[in-house]
Amino acid sequence: MDIGIARTFLEVVKTGSFVGAANNLNLTQTAVSARIRVLEEQLERPVFIRNKAGAKLTPAGEQFQRFATTLVQVWARAQRAVALPPGRQTVVTIGAELSLWSPLLRHWLIWMRRECPDIAVSTQIDTADRLMEQVQDGTLDVAVLYAAPSRPGIVAELLFEEKLVLVRTTPTSVELTPEDHVQIDWGEEFAASYQAAFPDQPNAVMSISYGPLALEYILAAGGSGYFRKGFIRPYLEEGRLILVPGSPEFSHSAYAVHSSRADAGVMDRVRAGLRAAAQIIL
């Protein structure tokens, strides 16, 4: 399979037309059509339905799309691995959910630079489902997630188990209403547990998917919300936040996951750094 053909296919999918793909790839429409024709000959199936409105995927095209994405990603990773920076022996690709980058992955990056100067690092932020897919298809070495689904060929290590606690801003003489509560996206498991604990709670007026942003907001505007206890410890000690008495706490664990086929020596070093970073934030 020509990687150029896979890229052309994905560009047609993205733009919805051969003309748009040709413009984005700096190719002629004839060249784009020729590449797709070669692909269809190799697959022995049409991948697009062409009409005046553009190009729509056939069922075969829909099946091929995820494989084309993997082909392009694996090729890009191979290029990075071959073209290593001077003095580096290998490259590690790591991804994490957004809320785990600060501060866990920040500490890990610093640890890697200090303890593993021979390893180059490539990072990304994505959803848990996408990260798991990339670990499974080999385009990502390690993912750091709040939940570790059990899948064949996947190794998961618990990095830390923390509590999500309900806090509010001070002074306590300022009365807070249900509308002052900020709903934070801590994943499906937390959402289900929260709904069970607060069945009569009205829908939040303010919903924020990123914990640090939610914290900045309530510190500036006042309010309440669930946060990782270790993350908000300095604000509790300063008196800017207080725990809401009698409120339920929820377990919130983070895991490092990787393929069982990954290089054991490299993974040992990566996991050691993640464990060291986890100790700092707890």
Side-chain angles (χ1 to χ4, degrees):
M1 167 61 66
D2 185 337
I3 296 299
I5 291 178
R7 287 200 180 102
T8 302
F9 168 83
L10 292 173
E11 199 62 38
V12 175
V13 173
K14 185 175 77 173
T15 62
S17 75
F18 282 46
V19 174
N23 290 336
N24 288 353
L25 294 171
N26 294 318
L27 297 172
T28 65
Q29 188 176 345
T30 301
V32 170
S33 297
R35 290 184 179 185
I36 298 302
R37 185 165 57 251
V38 169
L39 173 62
E40 292 178 327
E41 289 173 355
Q42 292 175 338
L43 294 176
E44 299 181 350
R45 298 284 190 283
V47 293
F48 289 111
I49 299 172
R50 289 87 156 169
N51 53 44
K52 292 182 179 179
K56 182 181 178 182
L57 284 171
T58 64
E62 291 176 353
Q63 288 294 321
F64 179 68
Q65 183 177 358
R66 64 190 182 94
F67 293 105
T69 301
T70 299
L71 283 169
V72 171
Q73 291 175 337
V74 170
W75 178 249
R77 184 178 173 190
Q79 288 178 308
R80 290 195 299 269
V82 171
L84 285 171
R88 301 307 192 267
Q89 295 180 1
T90 189
V91 60
V92 167
T93 58
I94 185 169
E97 294 183 70
L98 178 60
S99 294
L100 280 164
W101 274 107
S102 179
L104 178 67
L105 270 294
R106 173 166 49 85
H107 290 306
W108 177 80
L109 288 171
I110 295 171
W111 187 94
M112 287 293 292
R113 180 169 181 173
R114 182 180 67 248
E115 303 293 336
C116 303
D118 58 322
I119 297 179
V121 176
S122 176
T123 67
Q124 70 180 74
I125 296 171
D126 213 326
T127 64
D129 288 342
R130 282 283 300 147
L131 292 169
M132 280 300 303
E133 287 177 7
Q134 292 176 67
V135 169
Q136 285 191 295
D137 65 31
T139 56
L140 198 64
D141 290 314
V142 186
V144 184
L145 312 169
Y146 281 125
S150 177
R151 297 188 184 181
I154 295 297
V155 178
E157 176 182 344
L158 177 66
L159 291 177
F160 63 82
E161 185 171 9
E162 200 171 20
K163 297 293 185 182
L164 290 171
V165 295
L166 181 61
V167 296
R168 58 152 295 167
T169 48
T170 56
T172 54
S173 57
V174 176
E175 185 176 352
L176 297 180
T177 70
E179 290 191 355
D180 294 312
H181 181 77
V182 177
Q183 190 70 38
I184 304 166
D185 183 7
W186 294 114
E188 294 181 2
E189 185 176 340
F190 167 77
S193 299
Y194 179 85
Q195 180 62 35
F198 300 98
D200 300 323
Q201 182 82 0
N203 291 335
V205 174
M206 183 69 67
S207 297
I208 300 176
S209 64
Y210 186 43
L213 175 59
L215 178 60
E216 290 182 13
Y217 170 78
I218 73 164
L219 287 173
S224 64
Y226 269 93
F227 294 93
R228 290 187 288 111
K229 193 170 185 179
F231 182 65
I232 50 98
R233 185 175 293 114
Y235 302 94
L236 293 172
E237 293 172 351
E238 292 170 5
R240 299 180 67 187
L241 295 173
I242 62 167
L243 294 168
V244 176
S247 58
E249 298 182 352
F250 303 101
S251 178
H252 199 56
S253 304
Y255 297 84
V257 299
H258 64 84
S259 170
S260 59
R261 300 186 303 272
D263 184 297
V266 174
M267 287 302 102
D268 285 346
R269 299 168 75 185
V270 169
R271 292 200 307 269
L274 289 169
R275 289 192 291 268
Q279 288 300 313
I280 294 174
I281 69 173
L282 292 178

